[in-house]
Amino acid sequence: MLDQTLPDQIQQVLDAVKLRDSVTEVYFVACGGSYALMMPNQYLMDREAKAIAGFAVNSAEFTTRAPRRLGKSSVVVLCSHSGTTPETVLAAQTARAAGALTIALTHVPDSPLDVASEHVIYYDHDPMTMSPQHSAAVVFRLSFGILATREGNATAIEFDRALSEIGVIVAEVTAGHREKAVAFAAAHKREPVIYTMASGTSYGVAYSYAICIFQEMLWIHSAAINSGEYFHGPFEITDFDTPFLILLGLGNSRTMDERAVAFARKFSQRTTILDAQEFGLNRFNARIADYLAPLVFTPLLRMYAERLADAKGHPLTTRRYMWKMAY
């Protein structure tokens, strides 16, 4: 499908979804940062689908769990930026052997994941920006498209219209945070531990930032805390010098974030709050804005990561083990 535009690639996939006798569940399968961008799609399916269930699952967990319901009524969406992640390639092979419709997202044509999957969508990549062609946006478009195709969900059209403005929104938001990102970096460059916290559609971004940015790229100890879980164990580590990076999202889950922010601020002097209500997304329907929030948080947090890397003198490309040995 290299000679097709991205909208044509998506449409070809949706045509294949339409031809299935039935679709009862969609599995969103990946590892690491790709897995994180799948998380809000399970949320989307829970919120939007009438009968189709959605599950975001780590690739290795998907294969070893071997879901009993996996079969001809299943759609399995997989993502690997390089297309070489062994666990995700195996997950595609497993799903296809079970009769599921397999849809791969990757940045690299002719990769092992490309070969292993029935359908492939090639996305654009620039971690400092966002567009309808970026991986996180493409998965949302695919999820809404599946629901439109199988259940008549009308949100896809409205979402695509809003998505056309995402590049300008991100540029405005990141420009407004440049000085804040520099200040955050200066204040946290020697922190050994920084926790992230969020919920709803934005939890996947907090998770990705904890494991891919803080742990993998900057070698800072971290953990992503769901705002709803904060008061069921994690809040016990809150102290005056405990650093938190908290994403205040939109939608129904925002009340959980606000409760967590209120407590963290009461006992910690090291809380950094990024609030989606300041992104100007109120120009859209509230439901649409909820799905757009993580698409703004993602490049915004990448800017914060770049500034922190500069302050630490630790490039984001530095690795100790990854891609350097067998593991």
Side-chain angles (χ1 to χ4, degrees):
M1 292 196 295
L2 278 173
D3 57 342
Q4 293 180 317
T5 65
L6 192 140
D8 288 339
Q9 293 174 37
I10 294 176
Q11 187 57 54
Q12 182 170 319
V13 167
L14 295 179
D15 289 343
V17 171
K18 186 176 182 178
L19 290 174
R20 305 297 280 197
D21 291 336
S22 66
V23 173
T24 55
E25 65 272 333
V26 180
Y27 293 97
F28 300 96
V29 180
C31 296
S34 296
Y35 169 53
L37 67 84
M38 298 296 201
M39 291 180 180
N41 287 272
Q42 177 174 331
Y43 178 98
L44 183 156
M45 299 299 288
D46 287 341
R47 292 280 294 165
E48 301 286 342
K50 298 175 183 176
I52 301 174
F55 307 95
V57 191
N58 166 273
S59 300
E61 178 75 13
F62 174 79
T63 304
T64 56
R65 186 182 297 180
R68 185 176 292 273
R69 64 192 292 168
L70 177 67
K72 294 181 179 180
S73 295
S74 306
V75 174
V76 180
V77 180
L78 309 107
C79 184
S80 167
H81 185 67
S82 66
T84 61
T85 308
E87 298 93 332
T88 306
V89 174
L90 180 58
Q93 294 167 340
T94 301
R96 196 167 180 180
L101 178 67
T102 52
I103 304 166
L105 280 74
T106 183
H107 186 60
V108 182
D110 300 320
S111 62
L113 181 61
D114 190 329
V115 174
S117 304
E118 189 173 352
H119 297 279
V120 186
I121 298 173
Y122 306 103
Y123 58 79
D124 293 342
H125 179 70
D126 179 351
M128 297 296 288
T129 65
M130 183 58 65
S131 78
Q133 289 75 42
H134 279 59
S135 55
V138 170
V139 185
F140 271 144
R141 294 171 69 184
L142 189 56
S143 295
F144 275 123
I146 290 171
L147 293 182
T149 299
R150 299 298 309 194
E151 298 187 353
N153 188 297
T155 311
I157 297 174
E158 188 177 0
F159 180 76
D160 280 346
R161 287 173 181 163
L163 198 58
S164 67
E165 301 182 41
I166 197 68
V168 173
I169 293 170
V170 166
E172 292 173 350
V173 171
T174 52
H177 276 259
R178 286 195 183 108
E179 293 184 5
K180 296 176 184 177
V182 171
F184 173 86
H188 292 80
K189 62 184 179 182
R190 293 188 177 87
E191 292 291 351
V193 180
I194 305 174
Y195 295 100
T196 65
M197 187 151 45
S199 66
T201 59
S202 299
Y203 176 72
V205 184
Y207 175 81
S208 177
Y209 208 72
I211 72 162
C212 295
I213 300 297
F214 284 149
Q215 293 179 344
E216 176 189 332
M217 298 184 185
L218 290 171
W219 302 355
I220 297 171
H221 292 271
S222 186
I225 303 168
N226 184 285
S227 301
E229 282 289 286
Y230 179 52
F231 297 98
H232 302 276
F235 75 146
E236 285 293 340
I237 53 87
T238 306
D239 207 342
F240 75 96
D241 60 349
T242 307
F244 289 99
L245 178 61
I246 307 176
L247 309 184
L248 260 171
L250 303 173
N252 293 349
S253 63
R254 183 178 174 87
T255 56
M256 294 192 296
D257 299 336
E258 290 173 334
R259 182 187 175 204
V261 165
F263 187 93
R265 275 181 164 167
K266 184 177 180 180
F267 293 102
S268 171
Q269 299 172 19
R270 306 283 288 158
T271 58
T272 300
I273 314 299
L274 301 182
D275 190 347
Q277 278 193 348
E278 299 174 0
F279 295 167
L281 299 177
N282 57 349
R283 74 188 78 172
F284 306 110
N285 176 290
R287 283 172 63 193
I288 298 298
D290 192 14
Y291 300 121
L292 294 175
L295 301 182
V296 181
F297 274 131
T298 297
L300 176 61
L301 282 170
R302 183 65 180 220
M303 183 181 71
Y304 274 73
E306 294 280 0
R307 299 292 76 76
L308 185 55
D310 292 343
K312 288 176 66 66
H314 183 117
L316 296 178
T317 54
T318 302
R319 300 292 187 276
R320 180 182 287 129
Y321 308 118
M322 189 171 284
W323 308 311
K324 293 188 175 183
M325 61 181 66
Y327 51 87

